[in-house]
Amino acid sequence: MWKKKLATMVSLVTVFSVVLAGCGGSKDEGSSASGSDKKEKPYQLVWYQIGDPQKDTDKVVEKINEYTKEKINATVDLKMIGFGDYSKKMQVITASGEPYDIAFTSSWANDYLQNVAKGAFVAIDDLLDSKGQGIVKALDPKFIEGAKVDGKIYGIPTNKEVATQRVFRFNKQLVEKDGLDISNVNSLESLEPILKTFKEKEGYAPLWGDKNTSPYLAYDFITEKLPMAVPFNSTDYKVVNFLDQPDTMKTFETLHKYYKAGYLPADIATSTNSDYQKNGKWLVDMADSQPYADLTWSRSMGYDVESKPAGDAIATNTSVLGSMMAISSTSENPEKAMEFLNLLNTDPYLRNLVDMGIEGTHYKKNADGTVTDLPASKDYDMPSFALGNEFILNLYDNDPKDKWEQFKKFNTDANSSPLLGFHFDPSKVQTEMAALKNVSDEYMPALMTGTVDPKDYIAKADQKFKAAGLDTVMAEVQKQVDEWRAAQKK
């Protein structure tokens, strides 16, 4: 839950084997601008996108605009803002009322729900019906359900993995070096003999993380970092304090046991160190997975990684809202913005151009339809997960041929959290929510990283949470869950 989301997000660049020549993109979903439309001056879409500015952005945007001008009589002004600055800068832009058309939004950057609450985004239900049919056709229904707020949708989720699945991720070179058997790993407890052997042989902590790390807990959390949740297997939709649940206590006791044994870094509750992946001095950590994630991680780290599931794949509000695009309420032409988003999410030529750059400059296309990066690709390294429908991306030459088919199967087979589509409105308990956050900042890192004895520490945390108004907030959450459940006929 409370991990560094950015650290494990990898641009899963790739795709269907669609061979396109020059600018001859798909004709199925995106239609060319009409004769009357072409006579009008092209509308310029201002598009704010998360990601570090790239050296070759202007070159690629020039190609994008040649294509979109012909297809929908529109051009784009792509404004990249780095990951660390994006949320703050978008807050300033929104507060100022500066006009723009499209922006990246999510559960973790440029917060989707907060922007909806303050009217920053346009409700796009009618626009999807009139200009975005291709998007609706491409998306798994779980995406649509999770993105709705009070029955309306304000953003287009990226078509990628719809669910989250926690896994134990192993450094395979060390597994093989020390002759470790990870075949039976399926829980935190099952790691113990492996951790013991590794610590004895290598002398340093095998289970790595930092203060944002958390173990797998089978709950859908109402608000990140606060102890209000509904179990994934719930049938009564009862909101509970997960700290008081027996399975939580068992997990925290195991973590504390591992911490005392030296299986976790001594400074894990205060550290923000992620260098362990670069130097390779780690045996196992935890991450959110998707099909062929091991291959992606191995590419990124430069050595082989192998993972084992820690829980089931579950579609939650957090996973569905992990990457989206929204149309600003300040847009002068929401219809044109939707036309562009529909084209981006359905036209392989445009999607690959935005993602990978210019064929022959940043990548080459191989005889079998796959692609290989060229040296200039370093000058156009975009956050693939944030740029729209991934299932129409070109496959790399070393990608599995069935990559996107496996993603679709993963999405179809994933279970849905009972709370998928429920979004808590904290407006009536703002004072209590602020107080609860302060308590969480004080107590949660130590509990989640095993550095304290949960038998004593949970009782202290419970006292502080109650004094800060936890019961009042939980009552409000339960009231809203019950109303939502009744409206959804669940």
Side-chain angles (χ1 to χ4, degrees), residues 118-176:
K118 59 191 178 187
F121 298 151
V122 172
I124 58 174
D125 303 74
D126 292 341
L127 288 172
L128 283 170
D129 288 341
S130 62
K131 304 287 186 181
Q133 302 95 326
I135 294 171
V136 176
K137 183 179 177 182
L139 283 177
D140 187 292
K142 297 184 189 76
F143 280 117
I144 301 295
E145 183 177 358
K148 286 183 177 179
V149 181
D150 294 332
K152 293 185 178 296
I153 185 168
Y154 294 83
I156 299 166
T158 294
N159 199 27
K160 55 184 187 64
E161 73 279 3
V162 73
T164 184
Q165 182 173 31
R166 293 286 270 166
V167 296
F168 299 106
R169 184 171 57 176
F170 288 89
N171 180 343
K172 197 171 179 180
Q173 59 187 355
L174 292 180
V175 169
E176 293 174 349

Side-chain angles (χ1 to χ4, degrees), residues 1-2 166 168 188 207 212-218 221 242 248 251-252 255 286 310 444-445 447-450:
M1 219 18 227
W2 308 317
R166 293 286 270 166
F168 299 106
L188 191 63
L207 182 55
N212 296 301
T213 300
S214 68
Y216 172 70
L217 296 165
F221 295 88
F242 82 90
T248 302
T251 296
F252 286 172
L255 279 173
M286 295 198 71
M444 283 302 189
L447 280 168
M448 287 289 171
T449 55

